[in-house]
DNA sequence: AATGAATGAGAGTTCATTCAT
DNA sequence: CATGAATGAACTCTCATTCAT
């Protein structure tokens, strides 16, 4: 599934231990960041020794990669579950966006890590992770295309998908600012309202 | 102006040396991040010895603070120069936003540093820096209020100001995605168009 | 035969497994040296698990001892097979020396290990191994004594035996130097010629 | 002079500290070998902190290289001082060899290190060091050529030079064997006697 | 005011060895 | 008898910081 090497043979044990590692690492990275978190702390938090940790990864950077990979996998799966590719109704569009905002609310810790630590991955891993991000923007873009087939050109769809994607992430990343002024509901509602207005305005302005 | 201690008496020398430090640090942080950059490297890049560096700061974190502080000061000054508080025309609104996007294009390195490294500041410094960010969003908000006095309520203005602010930063931060699809001009034009449409749609929908 | 403890009861299995261990270890030690070779690598090369390896030895040093012991045993057996204790002819002397040089050519890997790693044995094991080396020099000395009963005194015989012994080992150990200038045949022939000349010169000078 | 990098600027300090490092390392390597000696032990023995040690070298292997380089330099200088390139007398030949044996007696520790640890150098450094060894054999060869211009061909000279070189080293390396039977004087005298006999026998056998 | 040699706590990583299965 | 997951002491190396000059 992913390419991190381990000296352990049992695949189900690898998965179990790596999930422990990922959980511990996310919690520590969120508090202290990747660089200030030591491998020993991660091992301790995960409940095993430093030697055991290194049976399941090769370098500290592997842990960061596991974390990033796992975050995107989770976001993708949960978002995909909300998307019906054949449904072109406005209600479905709104529903997908709301689901995405709920998801981002849920994963605030993880989003912060992505923003701050991805740059510490080596180029190859970084490219892999950023491709995942592109894939997710594309998912949103396809929903837009389905629900507003005539109003927007390709560039406009991409831009809007990107804006939505960022607005979701920023709810958690800039919580020190946004979550004083807004509840999740008011934030979502306003953003969705602006969004639909600009799409529909676009649509009617084209007609004139 | 800022509270970093120095053992040097001459204030103009302090300012000169600190500017050298800031310039060197920004360039290094952008390449390698705060944690992977050593104080020795910063001193060398600035053209003096590690001993001299520590005459002008107390800890490595001080350097990060100097950098963040300087970035916001610069953004603020350049944006402020574009704002005419008495001009309520749509053209002026558009002009301010365009200026802000140009500025963000210019300061991509610095924006990346802000996003990734601010969390490494200690609480007190972080609060200080984030307050600066709030101030800047407020500047945009005031322009919106001036140019669209009736269309939007306070929360909506704040949200839009925040969206604009983020969209500007993301031009640089997500360049690996956006700068393949857009030029700065097409990005700006599209964002501004969506923005104005949603404001004006809001305005007319309220009237009905 | 040797005193390394094992938790396995079946002696023939012990011998079989230990021979696997020795073969793997020699090949790895030659490439990477004793310290850079891990017990895991030895077990893997031998075709069984690290747990099994430790059923047949107690410490990593045991492996080195097994290797050294096995090398000397092999050298001794092959050299002994060439020696006829009752033959006092010059031809037999030359034949023994040539056989010894062929043997050293064959065992270059092993000789290198002996030279470089014996010091890593603990005192007791080292003494045991060095005694084996003394025994082998003595074998050569006895052949000299048989073939040149009057020309040399005891010290001289020992010195020549030692010189021959070393010259054989150096053929492999200093191959980076010798094997560019000489073939095994030219090396042997020259060394034997010098050797016999100095013995015979000794003999005739004594007579004068 | 040598290419090991240091972050210290003062060259005379580098030389002083590196000599301390070399002295400490030789003493420790002789007792425990390169791999069992830790960098902390070397620093402690040299009288400074681990941090200071690493200001003067980059890796542990650098220390081994410094040691090997220094040993050869010393051997070379001391041997060169004994050689008069214009003197072709037998007495001079004998004198050079005796000087070389005294030297090897003096440097037993160092010779043992060379035999056992050179293989731990990376290829490039190893080639550099082995070239030095070749150079030293060549020095002996030139003395042979000067003193016995007609008796030996080039290959024979090389072989004898190599034999002498090894016999000197083995006095220390195999002291557990040789130094029980011989004093340095008796060892030297016997070896020189055999050597001269074989050269002179060669010379006269050629004439017949 | 400027220098840079010295420091040592602490980081990531390895690997011989054990022991429950 | 065989396995291999688990352990943690011990290793090499880094780097922010100090202070005598």
């Amino acid at each position: 599934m992913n390419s991190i090497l381990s000296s352990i043979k049992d695949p189900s044990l690898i998965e179990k231990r790596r999930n422990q590692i990922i959980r511990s690492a996310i919690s520590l990275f969120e508090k202290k960041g990747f660089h200030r978190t030591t491998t020993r702390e991660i091992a301790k938090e995960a409940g095993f020794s430093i030697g055991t940790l290194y049976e399941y990864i090769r370098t500290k950077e592997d842990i960061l990669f596991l974390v990033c990979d796992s975050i995107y996998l989770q976001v993708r799966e949960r978002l995909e579950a909300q998307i019906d590719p054949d449904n072109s109704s406005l209600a479905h569009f709104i529903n997908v966006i709301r689901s995405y905002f709920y998801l981002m609310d849920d994963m605030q810790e993880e989003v912060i890590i992505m923003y701050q630590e991805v740059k510490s991955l080596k180029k190859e891993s970084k490219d892999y992770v950023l491709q995942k991000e592109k894939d997710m923007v594309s998912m949103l873009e396809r929903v837009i295309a389905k629900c507003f087939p005539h109003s927007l050109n390709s560039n406009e769809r991409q831009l809007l998908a990107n804006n939505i994607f960022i607005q979701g992430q920023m709810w958690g990343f800039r919580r020190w600012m946004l979550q004083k002024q807004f509840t999740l509901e008011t934030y979502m509602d306003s953003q969705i309202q602006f969004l639909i207005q600009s799409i529909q305005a676009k649509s009617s302005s084209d007609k004139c």
Side-chain angles (χ1 to χ4, degrees), chain A:
Chain A
M1 210 53 156
N2 69 54
S3 51
I4 308 278
L5 293 180
S6 167
S7 45
I8 301 299
K9 300 195 169 176
D10 178 354
S12 72
L13 191 54
I14 292 182
E15 196 185 340
K16 180 182 157 197
R17 291 273 181 266
R18 285 193 176 165
N19 283 336
Q20 291 176 277
I21 294 171
I22 290 166
R23 260 200 308 280
S24 313
I26 287 178
S27 144
L28 288 162
F29 289 173
E30 205 271 333
K31 280 181 228 142
K32 322 173 58 177
F34 174 68
H35 286 100
R36 289 201 209 276
T37 302
T38 69
T39 52
R40 278 182 165 77
E41 287 172 314
I42 296 171
K44 191 175 181 187
E45 178 87 7
F48 36 70
S49 71
I50 183 67
T52 299
L53 177 68
Y54 273 90
E55 295 286 316
Y56 294 90
I57 54 153
R58 273 178 322 159
T59 68
K60 190 186 178 189
E61 212 217 86
D62 281 352
I63 301 177
L64 181 56
F65 180 77
L66 285 177
V67 163
C68 293
D69 197 34
S70 137
I71 292 174
Y72 273 119
L73 190 65
Q74 211 184 131
V75 175
R76 180 193 188 85
E77 281 177 355
R78 291 177 57 177
L79 187 56
E80 227 159 24
Q82 301 297 325
I83 296 179
D84 170 3
D86 301 323
N87 190 334
S88 63
S89 70
L90 179 63
H92 179 241
F93 173 74
I94 291 175
N95 183 53
V96 167
I97 305 219
R98 292 180 65 90
S99 303
Y100 172 67
F101 277 87
Y102 282 125
L103 180 53
M104 289 296 100
D105 185 55
D106 229 40
M107 300 188 73
Q108 296 184 35
E109 280 194 7
E110 288 87 347
V111 168
I112 290 171
I113 292 169
M114 296 296 315
Y115 263 78
Q116 291 176 338
E117 313 295 1
V118 165
K119 68 136 192 317
S120 295
L121 291 170
K122 66 172 183 289
K123 187 169 181 348
E124 195 187 353
S125 309
K126 190 159 57 191
D127 289 348
Y128 172 89
V129 167
L130 293 182
Q131 182 55 47
K132 298 265 177 126
E133 187 145 327
K134 280 187 189 165
D135 293 346
M136 301 205 32
V137 175
S138 297
M139 287 170 63
L140 294 177
E141 196 195 334
R142 277 194 298 276
V143 176
I144 296 174
K146 186 79 189 175
C147 299
F148 304 97
H150 308 304
S151 321
L152 304 160
N153 66 31
S154 162
N155 264 2
E156 289 165 341
R157 285 195 301 264
Q158 280 190 32
L159 191 64
L160 285 183
N162 197 70
N163 283 354
I164 295 167
F165 190 72
I166 289 168
Q167 284 162 11
Q169 292 180 331
M170 287 299 136
W171 169 248
F173 194 79
R174 295 171 70 84
R175 58 183 156 193
W176 52 272
M177 178 161 227
L178 295 171
Q179 300 187 17
K180 295 210 164 130
Q181 294 294 326
F182 298 92
T183 64
L184 178 58
E185 290 299 327
T186 57
Y187 182 74
M188 279 193 310
D189 288 346
S190 283
Q191 292 288 26
I192 290 170
Q193 193 190 18
F194 280 130
L195 191 61
I196 289 177
Q197 278 166 354
S198 60
I199 295 174
Q200 289 176 340
K202 186 69 176 41
S203 172
S204 52
S205 75
D206 288 356
K207 282 172 193 159
C208 299

